Amino acid sequence: MSIPKLNQFKEANFLSRVPFLAFCLFIGWFIFTFLLLPNVTVLIDTFWSDGELSFSAFERLSKSDRAIQSVLNSFLLAAVLTFTVNAVGTFIVLVTEYFDIKGANLLRLGFMSTFVFSGMVLNNGYLYVYGDSGLLTKLLLHVFPNMDPNWFTGFPAVVFVMTFACTTNHMLFLRNGVKGLDNNTIEAAKNLGSNQWQVLKDVVFPTLKPILITLVIMTFQLGLGAMAAPVMVGGDFETISPLILTFTQRPTSRDLAALLSMILGIAQIVLLVVMTKNEKKGNYMSISKTKTRVTKQKITHPVVNGIVHAVSYMLFLIYTTPLVLVVLFSFMNLQGISQSVLSWEYFTLDNYIHILTDRNSYGPLLTSIGYSGIAAVLAVLFMTLVARIVMKNRNSKLAQAMEYLFYVPWLLPALMIALGLILAYDAPSSLLFGNSVVGSVWILPLTYMIMMLPSTLRYIKGAYYSFDDHLEDASRILGASSIRTFLQIILPALLPTALALVALNFNTYLADYDLSAFLYHPAYPTMGIAIRSNADATTNINAAAVNLVYSVILMGVSSVMFYLIYGRGSQVGERRSGIKKTKKTLKTPLTETEMPKVAPGKPAVGDNG
């Protein structure tokens, strides 16, 4: 190659890498500006007193029985939920997507109710069933008059609520994994004499290993950071997050809040490192040239089949009863809500009329939809590109360090991150190009996005593990550029997971209150702020009625979101992923020169045969 041509080649190669280098610079700026500096500012503000380093928080924490007990309670809850949530979540996915269960479509609808029915809304719904004035409690009091009406409280109540409230991730990502199984592999194992349990243990679960590892990490993290359930039904069972919230609101106790947050973060990062190393030891995938969608397996043992059906419908009732009661009670007047009585005598539409016709009431809903939607889309797009870099440089220490830095939002609770942004950028900063967070509209959706990054990266990375690298190699051999390969080969394969993450992130922060209380713009209150302000005693509608109506509205908006993105979008992704239904045959036009004709009943020779 001549020197001019060599120089032209080097120049073209450099220009092709300019977008990648610019994106790497953007990643570095983002990590330092929004993930590192605000959290360091909180720690400095907390542990740097009167010009010197102070560790008095450790001594104060060690002398606080309440704080120590909350730490122990959080770890106990996280450990128990790791087993209960994953057991229930795996079971409901298998009975709706893998096994042939009667009424699977109805069961699936009930199990997916947590997509739109979660957080404080869900806990309120459970209180309408199991609380001191709940319907089930009243029925039990008729049978057992001496029973304590406050029986549904404490550690067992928290575990019960969170076990069924935290299976959303299973119905999203584990369900996608089961639907992506290769039926050829399962049938091959059955033909070799494996029973149903052996197929699950040796074929299905190993194939789903990356997703299951991610679910274990997320479940443990949810248990450590539990907030709503301990506050609503925990009683004396206090965990770390509610205590952090209490300490954060007191300037003199922020050092204790920061220290408790560090304990949460260290535990989560240790678990994350262990699981990530275990993840690299081995992952399983189908090597079949033509995948076929898994056919539902019929449980052959009649007794086991009956037990599975009974347990499935019992779980269906547990999932759906609180949701139905929230919807019904939203049409009751104040007297019916306060007495927990469903009656036509108390039926009213005034609650809905007031909220839906008042601009001050539906304005916050539009604001929350905009904030959550923007943050969800940007988080998924950003982490898809970051995960691409991480997976292409698995052995690079720099790439691993970058990955771990994006897990920084797991170190501190949302309130501490919001506090860090306020302390770090309360004045115009060059890192924000002369802007500050005080009075800004963009800071709240940006913070939503920051909180979405760790879980989004974990799930996108798990989806990359199920992608066949040979498809990418084939695309490059055929001359496609890296960008074209990513857009036409990799992105369609990741589309179901990406769209599911958009819907999940959107739903998670649609009714956020904690971050909004710190960062919202006074002219644009969010749904969480509106719920809190409308619950004031001076408003026209009682707090309980307002929360019930808003709960129903939020469930309606979230349901539409999940249908448009997760339901319809996942079907588009499946059509573009190359997975064929078993009922359809792959028709490939062949000429006589490509394959010789064979007599009926004789096997064909060659790859196509």
Side-chain angles (χ1 to χ4, degrees):
M1 182 180 292
S2 63
I3 294 179
K5 290 184 177 180
L6 181 61
N7 292 333
Q8 291 178 1
F9 175 78
K10 290 181 178 180
E11 182 178 354
N13 188 45
F14 173 77
L15 292 177
S16 65
R17 292 182 58 85
V18 168
F20 172 76
L21 296 175
F23 183 67
C24 290
L25 290 176
F26 173 79
I27 292 176
W29 168 80
F30 185 91
I31 290 175
F32 178 80
T33 303
F34 298 113
L35 301 182
L36 295 181
L37 184 59
N39 296 327
V40 172
T41 302
V42 172
L43 297 179
I44 293 176
D45 186 74
T46 301
F47 295 109
W48 192 264
S49 178
D50 297 329
E52 61 181 12
L53 194 62
S54 174
F55 294 99
S56 60
F58 288 94
E59 181 180 358
R60 294 170 58 195
L61 184 65
S62 63
K63 294 180 179 180
S64 174
D65 295 336
R66 179 186 178 187
I68 293 176
Q69 188 60 48
S70 69
V71 172
L72 297 177
N73 289 343
S74 291
F75 278 93
L76 174 63
L77 179 62
V80 173
L81 289 178
T82 299
F83 291 98
T84 60
V85 172
N86 285 288
V88 173
T90 303
F91 178 84
I92 63 177
V93 170
L94 291 178
V95 297
T96 54
E97 306 300 332
Y98 183 79
F99 289 117
D100 186 10
I101 303 297
K102 302 298 182 183
N105 292 332
L106 178 63
L107 292 174
R108 185 185 302 112
L109 185 64
F111 297 151
M112 296 177 74
S113 63
T114 55
F115 289 6
V116 299
F117 187 61
S118 59
M120 288 290 187
V121 175
L122 181 142
N123 284 273
N124 273 325
Y126 273 82
L127 287 177
Y128 282 118
V129 181
Y130 309 102
D132 55 357
S133 59
L135 296 184
L136 180 61
T137 301
K138 289 185 176 181
L139 292 176
L140 292 175
L141 286 174
H142 285 294
V143 181
F144 307 102
N146 297 326
M147 187 188 77
D148 183 8
N150 294 314
W151 65 279
F152 192 73
T153 187
F155 176 69
V158 174
V159 171
F160 182 84
V161 171
M162 294 195 66
T163 294
F164 301 106
C166 299
T167 57
T168 303
N169 294 332
H170 293 76
M171 288 303 294
L172 278 173
F173 305 106
L174 187 59
R175 178 171 175 257
N176 270 340
V178 172
K179 291 172 67 176
L181 291 172
D182 183 13
N183 192 69
N184 292 334
T185 308
I186 296 175
E187 291 299 323
K190 291 168 65 177
N191 292 335
L192 292 174
S194 299
N195 57 36
Q196 289 181 328
W197 168 245
Q198 289 173 330
V199 172
L200 279 175
K201 179 174 63 73
D202 298 331
V203 177
V204 175
F205 289 149
T207 305
L208 301 174
K209 181 181 175 183
I211 300 176
L212 292 173
I213 289 176
T214 302
L215 290 171
V216 168
I217 295 174
M218 294 303 298
T219 303
F220 195 88
Q221 187 265 345
L222 287 172
L224 281 179
M227 168 73 88
V231 169
M232 298 295 291
V233 302
D236 295 333
F237 182 79
E238 187 175 32
T239 55
I240 295 179
S241 292
L243 192 60
I244 290 176
L245 177 60
T246 302
F247 287 158
T248 303
Q249 295 172 342
R250 304 172 183 172
T252 57
S253 300
R254 285 179 181 171
D255 55 345
L256 296 180
L259 186 56
L260 288 173
S261 301
M262 291 174 60
I263 294 175
L264 277 179
I266 291 172
Q268 294 168 3
I269 292 299
V270 169
L271 178 67
L272 182 65
V273 171
V274 172
M275 289 298 180
T276 302
K277 289 185 177 181
N278 185 56
E279 186 181 63
K280 295 180 179 180
K281 292 182 180 179
N283 296 285
Y284 301 81
M285 61 179 296
S286 171
I287 58 174
S288 176
K289 292 184 178 180
T290 304
K291 287 187 175 182
T292 57
R293 182 174 298 178
V294 62
T295 301
K296 287 193 173 183
Q297 309 294 309
K298 185 175 180 60
I299 302 176
T300 56
H301 197 288
V303 176
V304 175
N305 187 43
I307 293 175
V308 171
H309 274 77
V311 173
S312 299
Y313 280 96
M314 181 185 68
L315 292 176
F316 175 80
L317 291 176
I318 294 176
Y319 274 93
T320 57
T321 302
L323 183 149
V324 172
L325 289 180
V326 166
V327 175
L328 293 177
F329 274 110
S330 68
F331 293 98
M332 298 295 106
N333 60 19
L334 176 60
Q335 184 177 357
I337 294 174
S338 61
Q339 297 178 0
S340 297
V341 175
L342 293 172
S343 173
W344 281 109
E345 180 183 355
Y346 303 135
F347 179 84
T348 181
L349 294 176
D350 291 343
N351 301 338
Y352 284 92
I353 293 174
H354 173 83
I355 292 177
L356 295 178
T357 58
D358 185 6
R359 184 175 182 179
N360 293 328
S361 297
Y362 64 74
L365 176 61
L366 299 179
T367 300
S368 292
I369 291 175
Y371 283 178
S372 299
I374 292 173
V377 172
L378 291 180
V380 172
L381 290 177
F382 189 21
M383 289 300 98
T384 299
L385 297 175
V386 170
R388 171 71 173 164
I389 296 176
V390 172
M391 296 301 293
K392 293 295 291 182
N393 301 274
R394 302 181 191 181
N395 299 323
S396 171
K397 299 295 183 182
L398 181 61
Q400 292 179 6
M402 179 188 70
E403 177 186 356
Y404 288 132
L405 286 174
F406 276 108
Y407 297 133
V408 167
W410 274 349
L411 274 170
L412 299 174
L415 293 179
M416 295 299 294
I417 291 180
L419 180 62
L421 290 171
I422 293 175
L423 294 176
Y425 304 113
D426 57 347
S429 172
S430 58
L431 289 174
L432 298 182
F433 308 101
N435 296 309
S436 69
V437 301
V438 178
S440 64
V441 177
W442 51 265
I443 186 59
L444 186 53
L446 175 65
T447 308
Y448 286 169
M449 188 189 76
I450 291 173
M451 299 306 302
M452 296 173 185
L453 296 182
S455 59
T456 302
L457 178 58
R458 279 299 307 172
Y459 286 120
I460 292 292
K461 185 182 175 184
Y464 265 108
Y465 272 111
S466 63
F467 176 74
D468 190 353
D469 292 336
H470 294 90
L471 297 176
E472 181 181 356
D473 296 337
S475 176
R476 290 185 174 180
I477 291 174
L478 293 174
S481 63
S482 298
I483 297 178
R484 185 177 180 183
T485 300
F486 177 79
L487 293 177
Q488 296 187 354
I489 302 297
I490 301 175
L491 191 59
L494 301 177
L495 190 59
T497 299
L499 292 177
L501 281 167
V502 170
L504 179 62
N505 290 337
F506 173 84
N507 184 51
T508 300
Y509 289 92
L510 183 59
D512 168 76
Y513 173 74
D514 295 343
L515 288 174
S516 298
F518 270 79
L519 303 172
Y520 86 100
H521 193 283
Y524 301 98
T526 63
M527 197 69 167
I529 298 297
I531 291 175
R532 180 67 185 89
S533 61
N534 285 333
D536 194 287
T538 60
T539 56
N540 296 327
I541 305 178
N542 181 267
V546 171
N547 289 337
L548 286 169
V549 174
Y550 270 129
S551 298
V552 175
I553 295 175
L554 289 175
M555 286 189 288
V557 173
S558 298
S559 299
V560 173
M561 178 70 174
F562 274 110
Y563 173 75
L564 294 178
I565 288 188
Y566 180 67
R568 297 291 296 274
S570 64
Q571 296 174 10
V572 175
E574 288 174 3
R575 289 197 298 268
R576 299 184 64 184
S577 64
I579 298 177
K580 305 296 183 183
K581 294 183 178 180
T582 54
K583 294 183 180 179
K584 295 182 179 180
T585 57
L586 184 63
K587 297 182 179 180
T588 304
L590 300 174
T591 63
E592 291 184 357
T593 58
E594 291 176 314
M595 178 182 292
K597 294 182 179 179
V598 294
K602 292 185 178 181
V605 180
D607 290 340
N608 290 321

